[in-house]
Amino acid sequence: MPRPALAGSALDRRLMLIWGAGVLAYIVSIVNRTSLSAVGTEASARFHADASTLALFAVLQLLVYGAMQIPVGLLLDRFGSRRVMTVGMLVMASGQLVMALTPDVHIAIAARVLLGAGDAAIFPSILRVIAAWFPVKRAPIIIQFTGLLGQFGQIVSVIPLAALLHATNWPTAFVSLAGVGALAGILTFAAVRNEPERTGAITVVTSRPDLRQGFVDAWKHPGTRLAFWSHFSTPFAGNAFALLWGYPFLVEGLGLSVQLASLIFTFYVLVGLVLGPVVGTASARHPLRRSWIVLAVVGAQAALWAVVILWPGAAPLPVIFALVAALCAGGPGSMIAFDLTRAHNPAQRLGTATGIVNGGGFLASVIAILFIGIAMDVQGAGTPATYSLAAFKLAFLVQFPIWAVGIIALLRERRRTRAVMAARGIHLPRIRDVIARRR
């Protein structure tokens, strides 16, 4: 006999426990993902890696992450969030354990591959939990809060993890990180549940033909492709900055102190505390204007990078802080893609569609990180001893063609999505009509 649905405060407490456990797992996954962001110099020395090889650590990790999004989505639609997220946490912990114990660069790269595979399972899983447990009107805000709380993991990797590494040694720091990941996996298995009893919004698909057809149907819908290109365009510049190239650029390129660079990364996360709820609220209140928010975020990022690159010499600190704020906006902006995904896909294929969309941003991130490293090496500035501000400025230019591809595709799919919506009787209100009604 099915268990009765919980009501009132009991349901709220259980919901917060499930969501809280998922958020903790996501925070730990971000710590793992960004664990080289503040220790890139130490990693370069430990593994005798030049800029291209160092970029390969992040590139392969993100490439695996992106490649695993569709398989993870299919697994989510079949098995649910609890098991997929638990396995992901344990795989990440295994990767960090290998990373801690090996001095060999090839084995370390394989460890980062494990890390990317485990990391790929976490965020789509918690998105599915949110879709199952939270009302539709609250979900965009909860997604934004999930994303910005996860960014606290970046503060952990930049400050406590780096401090632990400098106070002890490489194996101690990364074994500790592996242990934290294993504990988070155990907590995930104990606390997370796929859906509410009897009233769950999500039905788990068990037949293989349904999974295949779900993938085809998800990609065929222009709303999914609109979400994909939205996610492709918004977070990659922030990922390239936060995951690998920002810290060397600040310290070696601009000549800032380690303490000031850490402060800037902390600012990067704290800005998300402000922007996340603002973007989430705007997305919830104006569902037919979501793509405009995406375009505004991308425009701000491109404009501020252009200012920093064209500035004679080192740009002043206010400009750098403005750039970092714009890069941070890419995180909340990218979450809009998942609002679009949920709006255009039925519940039974939501995991598959989410996996497709989530892969977009990480595909762009792989391209950006890899080509920034290649551009540094081509200029003869591939090691910490040869880094220069001029080389960094030229290398960061590779981001602009990526933005161009993403925005052109986004605009095309937005037009097609609007045509599908119009065929269903949903018409985007014209700006002049909205103004006239308000008068």
Side-chain angles (χ1 to χ4, degrees):
M1 178 177 179
R3 292 172 55 189
L6 296 175
S9 59
L11 176 60
D12 290 340
R13 286 194 298 270
R14 188 178 187 197
L15 186 153
M16 295 310 296
L17 174 63
I18 292 170
W19 178 64
V23 168
L24 178 61
Y26 183 47
I27 291 172
V28 175
S29 75
I30 294 292
V31 177
N32 282 278
R33 185 188 305 169
T34 61
S35 55
L36 292 184
S37 61
V39 297
T41 302
E42 290 82 357
S44 181
R46 177 175 175 83
F47 300 112
H48 307 289
D50 59 15
S52 295
T53 305
L54 195 61
L56 194 60
F57 278 93
V59 164
L60 282 179
Q61 176 186 335
L62 292 179
L63 189 62
V64 171
Y65 183 106
M68 287 294 295
Q69 286 306 300
I70 293 173
V72 164
L74 295 172
L75 291 171
L76 279 171
D77 285 338
R78 186 164 189 176
F79 298 112
S81 296
R82 183 190 185 200
R83 283 188 280 179
V84 172
M85 192 183 297
T86 300
V87 171
M89 294 304 301
L90 297 179
V91 170
M92 270 195 294
S94 301
Q96 290 292 31
L97 184 62
V98 174
M99 193 79 180
L101 300 179
T102 184
D104 183 87
V105 65
H106 301 96
I107 298 176
I109 289 173
R112 300 303 288 188
V113 168
L114 276 178
L115 202 66
D119 187 16
I122 308 306
F123 189 61
S125 296
I126 193 169
L127 287 179
R128 191 177 180 87
V129 167
I130 292 169
W133 285 87
F134 286 91
V136 172
K137 290 184 178 180
R138 291 179 62 192
I141 306 296
I142 299 301
I143 289 173
Q144 289 290 345
F145 272 112
T146 301
L148 68 89
L149 288 172
Q151 297 312 307
F152 278 105
Q154 187 172 311
I155 295 180
V156 173
S157 64
V158 169
I159 300 176
L161 179 62
L164 178 61
L165 174 61
H166 297 149
T168 56
N169 53 45
W170 184 280
T172 300
F174 281 84
V175 166
S176 300
L177 190 52
V180 170
L183 290 174
I186 294 170
L187 176 62
T188 297
F189 187 79
V192 170
R193 294 295 180 269
N194 294 332
E195 58 185 351
E197 293 84 357
R198 296 179 62 184
T199 58
I202 290 196
T203 301
V204 175
V205 178
T206 56
S207 65
R208 292 180 183 177
D210 285 341
L211 293 176
R212 289 195 296 269
Q213 190 61 43
F215 170 79
V216 172
D217 291 343
W219 182 250
K220 282 174 62 178
H221 197 293
T224 303
R225 299 197 298 271
L226 172 62
F228 175 90
W229 291 111
S230 298
H231 199 261
F232 180 94
S233 305
T234 43
F236 76 84
N239 286 340
F241 191 88
L243 292 178
L244 190 61
W245 295 116
Y247 199 85
F249 170 70
L250 295 174
V251 176
E252 306 293 344
L254 296 177
L256 305 182
S257 67
V258 171
Q259 293 77 13
L260 183 53
S262 297
L263 175 64
I264 289 173
F265 271 96
T266 303
F267 172 77
Y268 178 96
V269 176
L270 295 179
V271 168
L273 294 174
V274 178
L275 293 181
V278 171
V279 173
T281 301
S283 178
R285 290 182 178 177
H286 306 285
L288 299 180
R289 299 291 181 189
R290 286 167 174 160
S291 60
W292 285 107
I293 303 174
V294 171
L295 293 171
V297 168
V298 173
Q301 291 177 339
L304 282 161
W305 258 126
V307 170
V308 170
I309 291 170
L310 296 175
W311 198 283
L317 276 179
V319 175
I320 298 301
F321 274 98
L323 170 66
V324 170
L327 295 177
C328 175
S334 71
M335 297 298 168
I336 292 173
F338 302 112
D339 296 335
L340 293 167
T341 306
R342 189 178 59 256
H344 295 288
N345 287 276
Q348 65 267 22
R349 69 170 189 239
L350 187 58
T352 302
T354 299
I356 293 171
V357 170
N358 202 27
F362 289 90
L363 172 62
S365 298
V366 165
I367 296 170
I369 291 172
L370 177 61
F371 279 91
I372 289 170
I374 292 173
M376 294 292 288
D377 278 342
V378 167
Q379 298 175 81
T383 63
T386 58
Y387 288 160
S388 70
L389 179 58
F392 274 117
K393 286 184 175 184
L394 287 175
F396 282 121
L397 286 173
V398 304
Q399 298 172 112
F400 289 86
I402 304 173
W403 277 315
V405 169
I407 294 306
I408 291 170
L410 184 153
L411 293 174
R412 182 186 65 234
E413 298 303 338
R414 183 175 70 168
R415 183 178 65 253
R416 293 173 176 172
T417 302
R418 287 177 175 178
V420 170
M421 293 169 66
R424 293 167 51 198
I426 303 173
H427 296 278
L428 189 70
R430 292 178 295 181
I431 295 294
R432 64 186 182 187
D433 295 336
V434 174
I435 294 173
R437 283 198 301 269
R438 289 180 178 177
R439 287 175 179 172

